[in-house]
């Protein structure tokens, strides 16, 4: 079994646990709702809340600020304060700065992602295959002439390679054949692929940070109303 197959049950159990905590926030028992919010608070302190659930948990906490149970409202306020203090983004949450950075990284990602060719090109290539096969058959019929031409081409290529090597030796560096250049190109492609993944991760983090900042800004009037009523 592969590593992915071995970790699949653990991932399913983790997702099931998170789904249960999200669902139990709406339990009919006020005590259960408060305890679940306290559990999320402990997870925030341990930085155990996945980034994919960060906005979900914050939205749940803001919704429980209007709960009819005082114990639940207190737990919700505590959760929001803990998420603010232990957030994985930045000590300060400037919405404008996050929005600007997000636009920049989205533009970088758009430039780095490969452009996919339309499907029409594939259909054109499929139509050209029979024509290419016919051309190959015609070339086979002219075997002797093609062999003589190939010999001349091989001689030209050999002479060209010798000229390239002589020029490289004059410059003090050995010439690189196309086969020798392939590993370097492959390394550059792998580095580019890693860069794309890193930018995608950054875009996802900035989106979450921007959403979290906007959620907190929208919850300020609720906090003001709660504090003024006590």
């Amino acid at each position: 079994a592969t590593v992915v197959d071995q970790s699949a049950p653990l991932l399913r159990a983790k997702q099931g646990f998170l789904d249960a905590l999200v669902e139990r926030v709406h339990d009919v028992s006020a005590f259960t709702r408060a305890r679940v919010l306290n559990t999320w608070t402990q997870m925030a302190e341990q930085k155990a809340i996945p980034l994919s659930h960060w906005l979900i948990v914050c939205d749940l906490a803001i919704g429980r600020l209007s709960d009819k149970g005082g114990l639940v409202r207190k737990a919700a306020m505590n959760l929001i304060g803990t998420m603010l203090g232990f957030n994985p983004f930045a000590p300060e949450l400037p919405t404008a700065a996050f929005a600007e950075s997000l636009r920049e990284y989205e533009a970088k990602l758009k430039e780095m992602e490969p452009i996919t060719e339309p499907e029409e090109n594939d259909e054109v290539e499929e139509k050209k295959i029979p024509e290419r096969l016919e051309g190959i058959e015609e070339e086979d019929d002219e075997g002797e002439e093609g062999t003589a031409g190939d010999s001349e081409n091989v001689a030209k290529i050999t002479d060209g390679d010798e000229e390239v090597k002589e020029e490289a030796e004059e410059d003090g560096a050995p010439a690189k054949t196309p086969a020798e250049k392939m590993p370097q190109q492959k390394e550059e492609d792998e580095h580019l692929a890693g860069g794309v993944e890193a930018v995608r991760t950054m875009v996802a983090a900035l989106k979450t940070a921007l959403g979290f900042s906007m959620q907190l800004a929208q919850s300020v009037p609720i906090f003001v109303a709660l504090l003024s009523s006590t």
Side-chain angles (χ1 to χ4, degrees):
T2 61
V3 177
V4 177
D5 295 335
Q6 293 176 354
S7 61
L10 180 61
L11 293 175
R12 286 195 296 268
K14 175 184 175 181
Q15 186 62 41
F17 174 73
L18 294 172
D19 292 342
L21 289 178
V22 170
E23 182 181 358
R24 288 299 180 181
V25 172
H26 305 286
D27 196 272
V28 294
S29 171
F31 178 78
T32 302
R33 296 196 298 272
R35 291 297 297 172
V36 171
L37 292 173
N38 290 334
T39 301
W40 282 117
T41 301
Q42 294 175 4
M43 292 176 63
E45 291 176 352
Q46 299 297 324
K47 298 182 179 180
I49 300 178
L51 195 64
S52 58
H53 281 67
W54 193 266
L55 298 181
I56 297 174
V57 175
C58 184
D59 186 63
L60 291 173
I62 294 174
R64 292 300 97 190
L65 291 175
S66 303
D67 196 280
K68 60 182 180 180
L71 189 65
V72 180
R73 293 196 299 271
K74 183 178 179 180
M77 293 180 67
N78 189 29
L79 173 56
I80 293 174
T82 303
M83 294 182 69
L84 180 60
F86 290 88
N87 81 86
F89 310 114
E92 298 181 358
L93 300 172
T95 303
F98 284 146
E100 182 179 357
S101 298
L102 179 59
R103 285 193 296 268
E104 293 177 359
Y105 275 93
E106 285 180 337
K108 290 180 181 179
L109 181 61
K110 187 176 181 180
E111 293 176 358
M112 296 175 69
E113 285 183 335
I115 301 175
T116 57
E117 297 181 357
E119 297 180 356
E120 295 179 358
N121 292 342
D122 296 337
E123 296 178 358
V124 172
E125 289 296 329
E126 291 178 357
K127 293 179 181 179
K128 289 183 179 179
I129 290 176
E131 298 177 0
R132 293 175 181 173
L133 293 175
E134 293 177 359
I136 293 173
E137 292 176 356
E138 292 177 357
E139 290 178 359
D140 290 339
D141 295 337
E142 300 174 355
E144 294 181 357
E145 296 179 359
T147 303
D150 292 341
S151 301
E152 295 178 358
N153 292 335
V154 170
K156 292 179 181 179
I157 293 172
T158 305
D159 296 339
D161 291 341
E162 291 178 355
E163 292 177 0
V164 171
K165 291 181 179 178
E166 290 176 358
E167 293 177 358
E169 290 175 357
E170 292 178 358
D171 296 337
K176 288 186 178 181
T177 62
E180 293 174 344
K181 294 178 182 179
M182 288 296 293
Q184 181 179 1
Q185 182 66 29
K186 186 177 180 181
E187 291 177 0
E188 292 178 357
D189 294 340
E190 292 176 354
H191 178 71
L192 179 61
V196 169
E197 292 301 324
V199 175
R200 285 176 180 170
T201 303
M202 193 64 182
V203 168
L206 285 171
K207 285 182 178 180
T208 306
L210 178 60
F212 181 56
S213 178
M214 295 176 65
Q215 283 179 328
L216 293 178
Q218 294 173 359
S219 65
V220 170
I222 303 176
F223 275 105
V224 172
L226 287 174
L227 294 174
S228 61
S229 63
T230 57

